[in-house]
Amino acid sequence: AAALADKRFFVMGDGVTGADDGPLNGYAFSLSDWGYVPSILGHWVRDRKLMSLETAVAKMTDGPARQIGLTDRGRIAEGYKADLVLFDLERLDTRVEPSWLTPCPEGIEQVFVNGRRAFDGTATQGRFGIVGRHS
């Protein structure tokens, strides 16, 4: 709780995840990667009121993007990639547990990657992200 409340700390997963296509499809290796965002927002923001929603989102988007040198991601601004998640904070929850690492979180309505819909209740087949610093 103290680290989350500290303005100097960002929130990022520390595990290794698989992928939703290719040879690592369906594999997940860490609870901290697959469930941490809904957990932070649901538990620490909504339930415990440790920080504002805006602060939590910045700790998971803008802060980490700046830290690793991504200059076109992490915030909603002109010239930035349109990576957006539309969610219902009151319903946001995760069912991730050690024996089941990849369930979709509850309360996520839509996800846009580079401005294109990637999730609308279920994952689309679109692959709109590009891995790399200059994507």
Side-chain angles (χ1 to χ4, degrees):
L4 288 173
D6 191 316
K7 292 179 183 180
R8 298 171 297 170
F9 285 83
F10 300 135
V11 179
M12 297 178 274
D14 64 355
V16 177
T17 60
D20 56 6
D21 61 1
L24 294 179
N25 182 24
Y27 289 94
F29 308 103
S30 174
L31 282 170
S32 63
D33 267 2
W34 286 92
Y36 80 95
V37 172
S39 180
I40 293 289
L41 295 178
H43 180 74
W44 295 104
V45 173
R46 180 192 63 220
D47 299 341
R48 299 273 310 269
K49 299 185 183 358
L50 180 72
M51 63 188 129
S52 71
L53 177 60
E54 295 81 7
T55 296
V57 169
K59 284 177 171 276
M60 291 187 273
T61 58
D62 189 48
R66 300 297 132 259
Q67 187 178 49
I68 64 171
L70 294 174
T71 59
D72 63 352
R73 296 190 184 270
R75 58 177 81 164
I76 301 171
E78 186 175 337
Y80 280 62
K81 304 293 183 191
D83 296 339
L84 305 168
V85 178
L86 177 65
F87 60 90
D88 179 348
L89 184 60
E90 293 308 312
R91 292 186 356 182
L92 197 59
D93 198 8
T94 180
R95 296 171 300 179
V96 168
E97 55 186 68
S99 63
W100 192 29
L101 295 178
T102 60
C104 285
E106 296 176 18
I108 302 288
E109 306 292 336
Q110 296 180 49
V111 176
F112 294 85
V113 177
N114 287 323
R116 298 174 71 188
R117 190 182 323 270
F119 180 85
D120 189 3
T122 59
T124 70
Q125 294 303 308
R127 300 293 179 256
F128 310 120
I130 299 170
V131 177
R133 292 188 133 193
H134 305 289
S135 61

